[in-house]
């Protein structure tokens, strides 16, 4: 592990040298002096990991520079710091023993937090929103931001109207394009909507006082969105429990901003996480510090389900379903006048969800029977055989989605460039043919009745 100390108080000149290193800050039992030294290093480096260690011969109210000036050895300091036990990830030491209070005093004056999204997320609470790349977490968070500012519901759930601050850290340009498209399609006025953005990454604890002052100048905030946790992580190992526990506590500080906002943080899941185990990186330490882990799970039909996994303080809730729509807008054109597509989320009603599921099932049956008839067709050839086209070209993506779902359900295999029905797939094909036959008979019967009715009316 790379480590460094900062001699003679010359921190401004040493900023570049501290990048990616662990900085050891020395102080005695004087808590104020210890915290002052730590904040100084964090503000100047922005990205260094800061660890505290204590030496018995450290001068009162001193820091590492004082100790080095007195002849301290930097190598010995590093060795001592490495041997010091780490602070527990979820350790929150009180300043002093609070004493025992009665039941009445315990509950007196308590004001329950309001829901920001009815039944899902509360004000003053910290939530992770975890999803695989491409599963819609940014699209859902941007939609939540717009609905908050507009005071419009999320499906049938009330959303508290208020001001939003969006930390656009991971990909500000992508978020900008999505926001322009949403303004065109929802619609809203980007000049007047009460959503505010912070572009780029920085140290949240080092800049907290500045953030707090800016929020106060705006008149408070009701929803804070951080996109993403990884973009604002200041440690060295995104899977380290100790560092991620501290990072989560830094994110929780945003709930104390003027207005006591609900805070939602987009998170990447642990490596190789399955769709039923979408926990944010950092394991139990990060989960322990948040009030809920919301998740977005994308299905083969393109819908996205918002629910929770691992932890949710409060009653369970019915999942919210979204559709990810590829859209363009007049403000999204390149230098040659070509439209640049982007993605936005839209809430689906119960009827729309059922219709999409039925459409996906019909596509799967069609591809299953097509493979049974001719297993050698390419994606484009199969799309042509089924009459599936998009923008004048064979709709290969539609075939691929259906085939992937069939393979996932072990109804087909794909070996050496050829499809083959499994035994379960052969049974499913027989069932699909029967359903198709009955549907065709019903359609012909309905058409005959309609023709007779029209002839009689004529």
């Amino acid at each position: 592990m790379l480590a460094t100390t900062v001699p003679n108080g010359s921190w401004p000149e040493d900023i570049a040298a501290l990048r990616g290193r662990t900085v050891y800050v020395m102080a005695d039992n004087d808590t104020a002096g210890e915290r002052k030294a730590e904040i100084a290093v964090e503000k100047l480096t922005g990205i260094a990991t800061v660890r505290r260690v204590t030496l018995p011969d450290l001068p009162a109210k001193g820091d590492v520079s004082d100790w080095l000036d007195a002849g301290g050895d930097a190598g010995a300091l590093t060795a001592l710091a490495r041997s010091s036990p780490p602070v527990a990830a979820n350790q929150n030491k009180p300043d002093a023993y609070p004493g025992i209070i009665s039941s009445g005093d315990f509950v007196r004056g308590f004001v329950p937090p309001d829901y920001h999204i009815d039944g899902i997320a509360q004000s003053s609470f910290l939530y992770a929103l975890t999803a695989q790349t491409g599963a819609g977490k940014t699209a859902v968070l941007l939609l939540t931001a717009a609905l908050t500012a507009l005071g419009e519901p999320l499906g049938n759930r009330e959303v508290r109207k208020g001001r939003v601050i969006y930390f656009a850290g991971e990909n500000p340009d992508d978020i900008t394009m999505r926001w322009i498209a949403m303004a065109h399609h929802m619609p809203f006025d980007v000049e007047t909507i009460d959503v505010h953005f912070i572009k780029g990454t920085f140290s949240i604890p080092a800049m907290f006082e500045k953030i707090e002052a800016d929020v106060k100048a705006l008149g408070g905030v009701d929803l804070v969105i951080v996109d993403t946790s990884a973009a604002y992580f200041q440690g060295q190992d995104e899977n380290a429990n100790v560092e991620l526990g501290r990072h989560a506590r830094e994110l929780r500080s945003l709930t104390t901003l003027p207005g006591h906002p609900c805070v939602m943080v987009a998170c990447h899941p642990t490596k190789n996480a399955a769709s039923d185990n979408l926990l944010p990186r950092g394991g139990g330490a990060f989960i322990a510090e948040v009030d809920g882990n919301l998740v977005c799970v994308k299905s083969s039909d393109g819908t996205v389900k918002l629910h929770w996994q691992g932890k949710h303080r409060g009653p369970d809730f019915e999942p919210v379903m979204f559709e990810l729509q590829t859209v363009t807008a007049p403000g999204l054109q390149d230098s040659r006048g070509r439209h640049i597509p982007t993605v936005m989320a839209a809430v689906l009603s119960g009827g729309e969800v059922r219709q999409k599921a039925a459409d996906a099932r019909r596509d799967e049956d069609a591809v299953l029977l097509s493979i049974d008839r001719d297993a050698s067709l390419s994606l484009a050839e199969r799309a042509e055989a089924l009459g599936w086209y998009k923008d004048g070209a064979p709709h290969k993506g539609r075939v691929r989605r259906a085939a992937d779902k069939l393979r996932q359900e072990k109804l087909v295999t794909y070996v050496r460039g050829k499809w083959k029905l499994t035994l379960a797939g052969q049974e499913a094909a027989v069932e699909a043919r029967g359903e198709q036959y009955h549907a065709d008979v019903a359609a012909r019967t309905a058409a005959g009745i309609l023709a007779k009715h029209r002839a009689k009316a004529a």
Side-chain angles (χ1 to χ4, degrees):
M1 177 188 297
L2 293 174
T4 193
T5 56
V6 188
N8 302 321
S10 58
W11 288 333
E13 290 76 19
D14 293 329
I15 290 177
L18 295 179
R19 292 185 181 276
R21 294 175 177 263
T22 298
V23 178
Y24 296 104
V25 176
M26 297 302 303
D28 62 1
N29 293 328
D30 177 55
T31 304
E34 192 173 275
R35 182 59 184 149
K36 182 179 179 181
E38 181 176 339
I39 290 174
V41 175
E42 287 182 336
K43 284 186 175 181
L44 289 170
T45 66
I47 61 170
T49 298
V50 179
R51 299 191 186 281
R52 301 181 193 177
V53 291
T54 302
L55 290 181
D57 60 346
L58 187 70
K61 297 184 180 181
D63 58 30
V64 67
S65 300
D66 298 324
W67 188 75
L68 288 171
D69 288 344
D73 177 69
L77 172 63
T78 299
L80 177 64
R82 286 179 175 173
S83 65
S84 301
V87 178
N90 59 350
Q91 182 173 332
N92 295 300
K93 292 183 179 179
D95 293 332
Y97 172 59
I100 299 174
I101 58 176
S102 69
S103 170
D105 289 337
F106 182 67
V107 302
R108 188 171 292 111
F110 175 73
V111 179
D114 293 325
Y115 271 105
H116 188 81
I117 304 175
D118 191 34
I120 296 179
Q122 293 176 275
S123 299
S124 300
F125 277 34
L126 170 66
Y127 297 90
L129 178 59
T130 309
Q132 301 282 11
T133 300
K137 56 181 176 289
T138 294
V140 169
L141 288 172
L142 283 170
L143 177 62
T144 304
L147 295 177
T148 296
L150 298 172
E152 296 180 1
L154 181 70
N156 59 358
R157 296 181 181 276
E158 182 180 350
V159 175
R160 181 180 181 181
K161 181 178 173 63
R163 181 172 294 114
V164 182
I165 295 179
Y166 198 109
F167 287 59
E170 186 161 284
N171 195 335
D173 289 344
D174 176 61
I175 290 171
T176 301
M177 290 193 296
R178 292 174 187 245
W179 194 243
I180 291 171
M182 290 173 63
H184 175 70
H185 289 275
M186 288 188 66
F188 56 80
D189 185 350
V190 293
E191 298 293 340
T192 59
I193 191 169
D194 204 1
V195 178
H196 307 263
F197 293 86
I198 304 177
K199 295 178 67 173
T201 59
F202 51 89
S203 170
I204 289 177
M207 294 292 106
F208 184 81
E209 292 182 4
K210 175 61 176 172
I211 297 169
E212 186 176 39
D214 288 346
V215 169
K216 185 175 181 180
L218 283 173
V221 62
D222 299 278
L223 174 65
V224 170
I225 294 174
V226 179
D227 193 353
T228 61
S229 170
Y232 294 92
F233 176 59
Q234 301 294 306
Q236 294 183 355
D237 183 357
E238 203 180 353
N239 292 301
N241 280 11
V242 171
E243 292 188 318
L244 263 294
R246 177 182 177 180
H247 177 52
R249 290 192 293 276
E250 293 171 352
L251 293 171
R252 180 175 288 282
S253 68
L254 297 173
T255 66
T256 67
L257 290 170
H260 299 286
C262 172
V263 177
M264 294 184 172
V265 182
C267 295
H268 299 298
T270 55
K271 188 176 181 180
N272 299 322
S275 60
D276 60 351
N277 189 33
L278 294 173
L279 300 180
R281 293 175 188 173
F286 195 92
I287 284 288
E289 296 292 344
V290 301
D291 298 300
N293 179 45
L294 305 175
V295 297
C296 284
V297 180
K298 188 176 181 181
S299 66
S300 59
D301 62 5
T303 58
V304 172
K305 178 173 72 174
L306 173 69
H307 203 219
W308 67 273
Q309 293 178 13
K311 181 179 183 180
H312 184 257
R313 286 179 177 161
D316 194 9
F317 59 89
E318 287 296 317
V320 181
M321 302 299 296
F322 299 87
E323 178 184 30
L324 298 182
Q325 301 173 341
T326 301
V327 296
T328 60
L332 292 178
Q333 295 180 357
D334 64 15
S335 59
R336 297 169 60 182
R338 296 174 298 185
H339 288 285
I340 302 174
T342 188
V343 176
M344 62 179 286
V347 181
L348 294 173
S349 66
E352 289 171 325
V353 172
R354 289 189 292 273
Q355 184 60 53
K356 280 189 166 292
D359 292 344
R361 174 60 184 271
R362 279 194 295 271
D363 281 2
E364 292 159 20
D365 286 348
V367 171
L368 181 69
L369 295 177
S370 173
I371 292 173
D372 192 31
R373 288 190 297 269
D374 188 346
S376 65
L377 298 179
S378 67
L379 290 175
E381 291 169 339
R382 200 171 301 284
E384 289 178 336
L386 293 169
W388 293 353
Y389 292 90
K390 182 179 181 180
D391 299 328
H395 197 343
K396 295 187 292 184
R398 185 176 174 185
V399 177
R400 184 184 294 108
R401 283 194 296 271
D404 286 345
K405 185 62 180 296
L406 293 172
R407 185 159 47 176
Q408 179 184 340
E409 294 182 352
K410 299 182 178 179
L411 299 179
V412 300
T413 60
Y414 187 72
V415 180
R416 294 185 176 181
K418 289 187 177 181
W419 293 98
K420 183 179 180 180
L421 270 61
T422 64
L423 289 177
Q426 293 172 16
E427 294 176 2
V430 172
E431 182 181 348
R433 284 194 193 91
E435 292 177 355
Q436 189 177 77
Y437 171 78
H438 290 300
D440 290 343
V441 170
R444 288 196 298 269
T445 301
I449 293 173
L450 181 60
K452 290 180 180 180
H453 177 75
R454 287 174 175 171
K456 191 173 182 179

